[in-house]
Amino acid sequence: MHENKEINALFHLLDDPDQEVFDTVASKILLYGKDIIPNLENLWENTVDESIQERIELLIHRVHYQDLQAALRAWSLSELQDLMQGAILVARYQFPDLVPSQVLNEIERIKRNIWLELNNYLTPLEKINVLNSMIYNYFGLKGEEVSYQRKNQFFINQVIESKKGNPVTNGIIYQSLCAMLDLPVYAVNIPRQFILAYFDTFIDFDEPVDPDDQRILFFIDPIQGQIYTQQDVDTYLKRVSVPSVPSYFKPQSNKRIIQFLLEELAKCFRDDKDAYRQDELSNLASLLEE
């Protein structure tokens, strides 16, 4: 953006020790949107005072965050609410310059290889075995239980790059591939787990979802593709002393999955200095309230 007198005047006030003045200046700079970022970056490079550099970094973050809020609202209101696109938006919180095609091209490559191995004569279980072989053996995706110390496992671009995720991000990759391959696989609401289920029909989330209307054929743990029966899940619920209720087996919408991803990511920022990040991520999650 071409600098004008107002921008120059605002930049000169960034070193004002009065917090109220800085907040006013910041609010005016944010009105310029993403176009102001190159100017801020140039100012940062030509500033020697570290405290001013920190203020500039915070402003750049706020501009990106403001842009992300708008993008997430648009995704939430879109007709499709594509799951992978939602995960890419979450990753943009940490990687604002993320190029979506880098993620999408790799997902498309895996999908193409799976598609070549599938045919209409395979049973649902046989189809999932093909998926598992391609995702975990051919592509080499690994999974670990959720750890809030490993926040990169919540960012889909990092998972694709490192081939190591947690149940949520692995599950998003898995469910996205199933959607691309027309397989009725959806996340369900089992307590303390992120588990996928293969349903006997496709779900229309535009209509009220009643668990009694669908039948689950089997469950899939996205960490490494382990298959579980209904009896396995019932045994797990008894072991953790949780009564089995129909809502646990209700398919989750893409919006709810991305909201859950944001809620879990927020738990990675527990230090006092990161408290604002936890607030920001919680606020992004609240944008997706259904």
Side-chain angles (χ1 to χ4, degrees):
M1 177 181 285
H2 180 69
E3 289 196 12
N4 55 36
K5 287 181 179 179
E6 183 184 23
I7 291 174
N8 283 327
L10 290 170
F11 283 0
H12 278 108
L13 288 170
L14 284 177
D15 61 355
D16 195 298
D18 188 326
Q19 184 64 37
E20 200 171 314
V21 171
F22 173 71
D23 290 341
T24 302
V25 169
S27 297
K28 290 187 176 180
I29 288 174
L30 286 174
L31 293 174
Y32 286 96
K34 283 178 69 177
D35 291 341
I36 198 72
I37 288 178
N39 305 65
L40 287 167
E41 290 173 338
N42 182 59
L43 181 64
W44 185 93
E45 290 170 2
N46 292 286
T47 300
V48 292
D49 188 320
E50 288 187 8
S51 64
I52 306 304
Q53 284 185 327
E54 286 179 7
R55 281 187 163 187
I56 297 168
E57 288 167 8
L58 182 61
L59 277 171
I60 292 172
H61 173 75
R62 285 187 185 174
V63 173
H64 282 306
Y65 179 70
Q66 183 177 264
D67 184 60
L68 179 56
Q69 283 180 303
L72 196 62
R73 280 195 196 95
W75 178 85
S76 171
L77 296 170
S78 67
E79 188 174 335
L80 184 58
Q81 291 168 5
D82 180 85
L83 186 57
M84 187 55 62
Q85 293 285 359
I88 287 170
L89 286 176
V90 174
R92 273 178 49 191
Y93 178 78
Q94 186 86 353
F95 304 94
D97 298 321
L98 171 63
V99 179
S101 60
Q102 294 172 345
V103 173
L104 297 174
N105 289 345
E106 189 62 16
I107 295 296
E108 177 62 33
R109 184 175 74 85
I110 302 168
K111 172 245 167 179
R112 197 162 51 243
N113 280 278
I114 298 171
W115 180 79
L116 290 170
E117 299 293 325
L118 292 178
N119 64 65
N120 292 331
Y121 301 104
L122 297 177
T123 65
L125 191 55
E126 287 170 337
K127 290 177 181 178
I128 291 303
N129 284 334
V130 170
L131 252 84
N132 286 346
S133 177
M134 283 294 176
I135 293 172
Y136 301 108
N137 298 331
Y138 168 73
F139 177 63
L141 183 65
K142 300 287 188 290
E144 299 176 335
E145 293 293 346
V146 166
S147 168
Y148 302 119
Q149 280 71 50
R150 295 191 289 265
K151 66 174 176 289
N152 278 0
Q153 291 186 1
F154 289 93
F155 300 121
I156 205 72
N157 59 319
Q158 294 283 286
V159 175
I160 293 292
E161 188 178 311
S162 68
K163 299 186 180 180
K164 187 177 286 185
N166 59 37
V168 188
T169 43
N170 278 16
I172 286 170
I173 291 170
Y174 202 110
Q175 183 171 327
S176 295
L177 287 165
C178 286
M180 295 166 77
L181 294 159
D182 293 324
L183 300 177
V185 172
Y186 305 94
V188 286
N189 197 26
I190 306 295
R192 305 178 210 169
Q193 300 288 332
F194 190 89
I195 294 286
L196 305 175
Y198 196 115
F199 286 78
D200 65 349
T201 184
F202 290 94
I203 311 298
D204 181 3
F205 288 99
D206 291 331
E207 301 292 329
V209 178
D210 185 344
D212 293 333
D213 291 344
Q214 301 92 25
R215 187 168 65 93
I216 294 174
L217 305 184
F218 51 84
F219 300 86
I220 309 154
D221 183 345
I223 290 182
Q224 280 295 300
Q226 178 76 34
I227 306 295
Y228 294 117
T229 63
Q230 182 68 54
Q231 186 177 355
D232 292 329
V233 173
D234 290 340
T235 301
Y236 160 76
L237 291 172
K238 284 180 184 174
R239 193 172 74 244
V240 296
S241 302
V242 172
S244 179
V245 296
S247 62
Y248 294 162
F249 306 100
K250 179 180 176 180
Q252 303 295 290
S253 69
N254 290 350
K255 189 188 286 190
R256 175 58 195 136
I257 293 170
I258 296 304
Q259 184 181 47
F260 181 69
L261 178 62
L262 286 162
E263 291 166 351
E264 290 293 283
L265 176 59
K267 297 173 185 176
C268 296
F269 298 97
R270 292 180 168 178
D271 293 342
D272 289 343
K273 65 181 177 64
D274 290 329
Y276 75 96
R277 290 184 178 274
Q278 195 169 61
D279 290 342
E280 287 177 344
L281 288 161
S282 298
N283 179 50
L284 289 174
S286 70
L287 294 178
L288 302 180
E289 292 291 347
E290 294 188 334

